[in-house]
Amino acid sequence: MPVAVEDVLAGNRLALARLLSQIENDTAEGRQILNELFPHSGQAALIGVTGAPGTGKSSLVNQIAYHYRHPADGRQPKRVAVVAVDPSSPFSGGAVLGDRIRMHSLSGDPDVFIRSMASRGSLGGLARATAGLVQAFDAAGFEIILIETVGAGQAEVEIARLAHTTLVVEAPGLGDDVQAIKAGILEIADILVVNKADRPGVEQTERALRGMLQLAHPGKRQYHHGRLISAPEPEEKPLNEPEWVPPIQRTVATEGNGVSELLALIDQHRDYLKQTGELARREAARLTAEVDLLVEAGLVDRWRRGLANGWYQEVLARVMNREISPRQAAAKLTASKREEG
Amino acid sequence: MSQEKIRVIVAKPGLDGHDRGAKVVARALRDAGMEVIYTGLRQTPEMIAEAALQEDVDAVGLSVLSGAHMALVPRILELLKANGQDKVGVFIGGIIPDEDIPRLAEMGVAGVYGPGTRTDDIVQDIQKFAGQKS
């Protein structure tokens, strides 16, 4: 059954659910509807939640969503979407997606929409279609979109490119302070959360994180997206702009302790992003990367279709025979004219 | 590159607390290349139907050991239908007396699996069902 754009925009949950599948399966229909929805997107606050397995990401996402639905200070409840990514099996391609287990307190609320996603072979903590799902939720009027990553470990930096505010969740008793100065996951944190803060060792964990922040205060964020096309350098940040130093918040997600304070920090970070123009810069970097990726895929596709029959296999065979190097082979294959020899 | 996966919810409605069977089935479906949304214990029919809607699943697998299946299953079928998901297959595992099986089939349950069922049989039935659906 085809999905109607109007139904998605009008808040029809079945239409939205079906659209999300179309996007995940990268169908022509899904791509078409996303094109039509794109002008409606760009309103939502995108909040990423990452961290090692077992730090309590799902429980925390549950609490954050719950607090946005039931604000303590009498503010308007927000419509919340959750995209929770879990790994696909590299062998069978199947997956067991278990993030919903921790999100029971959100059930029965029509203004919450939780979608589990398998990573489908993608590395970096998100699935290839995660950005598309987020765009669909955004266009469908969800004001807060929580994105929970796979949680595999130190290389999950994709989330920083997608989210406006990235929470890195740590828990007591998981590694020493050398973990904290390694590149990658801690560098992307806008807010550090020490969850399970009722457990022993919480002081050491917090001290290690604080030490890391002083040791390696993150400089200006440059996106190394390593794409085919080099994006124009973003404008230099004026020197008098305040720097955001990632705050550390303790939480006990199973009890909800510290979550109101965490929400206040998320709001503060969003205000900071808006006031300094960083929000626009991040959006620009993200959309540039997305366009680059699509251009790259399009070019490769066109190149593949333009290849003479058998030419690719022929060149490849010469590489196998150690006649030419992979680099020479690539030069031959991408040359505008087919040269013999 | 379009790559469709069969999506299945595995849930335990009602109050009994034994989820080993559900986990074994979830794992078997995963190993068959399906995406299994595991929602855990003590789910109400409303929670299961809501999850089935949000996750846009092809099938719902229910594990019931408490004997409450004749109360829970019709309610779940009713809610799925109300949500426009009448094409979703409902499969039941657990302790289901023989005399209930025809009645469940009449309600529209696609398969009932008692103790000793081979997981391969469940996998094949769901694959067959999902293939027929579209």
Side-chain angles (χ1 to χ4, degrees), chain A residues 23 62 105 150-151 153 168 184 226 279 323:
Chain A
I23 298 169
N62 178 50
S105 52
V150 168
V168 172
L279 190 64
E323 284 170 39

Side-chain angles (χ1 to χ4, degrees), chain B residues 6-83:
Chain B
I6 298 175
R7 286 169 70 87
V8 186
I9 280 189
V10 172
K12 274 197 64 69
L15 295 175
D16 76 272
H18 301 278
D19 57 356
R20 190 158 181 97
K23 283 178 175 153
V24 168
V25 171
R27 172 133 192 223
L29 300 182
R30 181 201 79 182
D31 289 344
M34 301 182 198
E35 291 181 352
V36 182
I37 296 101
Y38 189 79
T39 62
L41 292 167
R42 288 181 274 281
Q43 300 279 292
T44 64
E46 286 75 13
M47 288 159 99
I48 293 168
E50 182 182 45
L53 176 72
Q54 293 176 352
E55 302 288 356
D56 188 29
V57 293
D58 302 289
V60 174
L62 303 170
S63 163
V64 194
L65 302 169
S66 63
H69 50 277
M70 294 311 280
L72 293 165
V73 173
R75 179 78 184 132
I76 292 168
L77 289 165
E78 194 180 297
L79 289 166
L80 286 172
K81 202 169 171 189
N83 286 340

Side-chain angles (χ1 to χ4, degrees), chain A residues 206-250:
Chain A
E206 196 178 318
R207 200 179 313 126
L209 291 173
R210 213 170 283 290
M212 179 277 299
L213 288 177
Q214 286 158 358
L215 208 61
H217 185 63
K220 192 171 63 146
R221 210 184 262 245
Q222 291 275 1
Y223 289 87
H224 296 267
H225 51 73
R227 294 293 165 214
L228 214 66
I229 300 158
S230 58
E233 280 296 307
E235 279 172 54
E236 280 297 313
K237 209 174 183 181
L239 283 171
N240 56 2
E241 266 183 23
E243 280 285 349
W244 176 265
V245 180
I248 301 173
Q249 177 64 47
R250 290 188 193 186

